[in-house]
């Protein structure tokens, strides 16, 4: 005998609403992966953008599984320091984020970014589908036209993304005391001194002027 379970109409309505909301949430959730030199800085920049939910640091593009920071920074793994940016597609698009990305780095530099040199500090965009690929290509072409210089940032198919060590996540707002060449300082202060000393904002402002989105 077939059994039927009675569901109260009010409960059924609630379940339908929750199901629709969950589908809407999944439809709006999206992510991009970019490499822009020091991942601390990319995190700090993009977590300020309206519609961005989170930015996490990691490694991608190489051949070594589960790499460590020491391995990646030493070179030879093929990995980039990268950031996975999760966002609400109803508030900001991948194309808009790519436009911001190009104007937050020096995309003319093939050897690294600012004071950080070597393969792990190169710029790149890692697309996850055809739509992202097309958006990245369009953003690159527009940025190259606006800058009037050749952009060397490659647009690559996404590979496995490995999370960086815990101490790298949200480094720019950390409160721990760390040892630096400036002495023992709070982590967030160490980040600010590093960023200024590396010349990131100065170079971005020199390149992009008032179009640089994260430079004060």
């Amino acid at each position: 005998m077939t059994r039927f379970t009675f569901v109260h109409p009010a409960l059924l309505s609630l379940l339908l609403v929750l199901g629709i909301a969950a589908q809407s949430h999944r439809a709006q959730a999206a992510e991009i992966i970019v490499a822009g030199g020091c991942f601390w800085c990319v995190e700090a920049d993009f977590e300020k953008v309206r519609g961005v939910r989170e930015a996490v640091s990691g490694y991608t593009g190489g051949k070594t599984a589960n790499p460590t920071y020491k391995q990646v920074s030493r070179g030879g793994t093929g990995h980039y320091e990268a950031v996975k940016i999760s966002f609400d597609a109803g508030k900001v698009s991948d194309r808009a984020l790519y436009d911001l990305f190009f104007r937050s780095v020096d995309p003319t530099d093939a050897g690294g970014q600012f004071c950080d040199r070597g393969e792990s500090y190169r710029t790149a965009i890692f697309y996850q589908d055809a739509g992202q690929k097309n958006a990245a290509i369009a953003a690159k072409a527009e940025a190259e036209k606006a800058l009037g210089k050749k952009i060397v940032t490659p647009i690559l198919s996404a590979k496995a993304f490995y999370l960086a060590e815990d101490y790298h996540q949200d480094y720019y707002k950390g409160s721990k005391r760390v040892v630096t060449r400036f002495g023992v300082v709070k982590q967030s202060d160490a980040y600010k001194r590093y960023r200024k000393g590396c010349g990131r904002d100065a170079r971005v402002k020199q390149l992009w002027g008032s179009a640089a989105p994260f430079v004060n």
Side-chain angles (χ1 to χ4, degrees):
M1 181 177 69
T2 303
R3 293 171 182 253
F4 295 93
T5 301
F6 174 75
V7 180
H8 192 282
L11 177 58
L12 180 59
S13 296
L14 177 60
L15 292 173
L16 286 172
V17 169
L18 290 175
I20 292 170
Q23 289 180 353
S24 176
H25 174 77
R26 286 194 294 271
Q28 296 297 305
E31 63 185 30
I32 62 168
I33 300 172
V34 297
C38 170
F39 44 26
W40 299 344
C41 298
V42 179
E43 262 197 51
D45 286 345
F46 280 87
E47 286 192 343
K48 299 173 186 173
V49 177
R50 181 181 177 276
V52 168
R53 295 172 171 173
E54 184 183 30
V56 295
S57 292
Y59 313 110
T60 195
K63 57 184 182 294
T64 302
N66 299 307
T68 64
Y69 175 73
K70 186 175 182 180
Q71 288 175 311
V72 173
S73 59
R74 186 172 57 220
T77 66
H79 283 298
Y80 295 70
E81 282 197 13
V83 174
K84 182 182 289 185
I85 301 167
S86 302
F87 62 98
D88 183 339
K91 295 180 180 178
V92 66
S93 66
D94 49 13
R95 169 61 196 273
L97 292 173
Y98 291 143
D99 287 337
L100 291 174
F101 168 71
F102 277 114
R103 288 158 179 78
S104 68
V105 295
D106 179 355
T108 69
D109 187 350
Q113 284 291 282
F114 318 108
C115 69
D116 294 317
R117 314 311 302 165
E119 66 178 16
S120 65
Y121 294 108
R122 293 169 296 164
T123 61
I125 290 175
F126 299 90
Y127 64 86
Q128 299 178 77
D129 56 39
Q132 285 192 349
K133 181 179 181 180
N134 292 335
I137 290 172
K140 180 176 178 177
E142 195 280 330
E144 190 167 78
K145 181 179 179 181
L147 192 60
K149 296 182 180 181
K150 181 175 175 56
I151 287 179
V152 299
T153 302
I155 296 170
L156 308 170
S157 178
K159 293 185 177 182
F161 181 90
Y162 301 98
L163 281 176
E165 294 82 347
D166 287 346
Y167 72 89
H168 285 301
Q169 308 301 335
D170 289 328
Y171 189 93
Y172 73 98
K173 56 186 177 184
S175 58
K176 292 181 179 179
R177 309 289 289 185
V178 293
V179 179
T180 72
R181 60 192 179 99
F182 307 107
V184 179
V185 298
K186 191 166 68 172
Q187 189 172 295
S188 57
D189 291 333
Y191 163 75
K192 291 174 185 175
R193 294 187 185 193
Y194 154 76
R195 182 165 181 146
K196 182 176 181 180
C198 198
R200 187 182 188 99
D201 292 333
R203 175 57 178 157
V204 169
K205 188 173 183 178
Q206 180 186 42
L207 272 176
W208 292 104
S210 61
F214 307 115
V215 176
N216 297 323

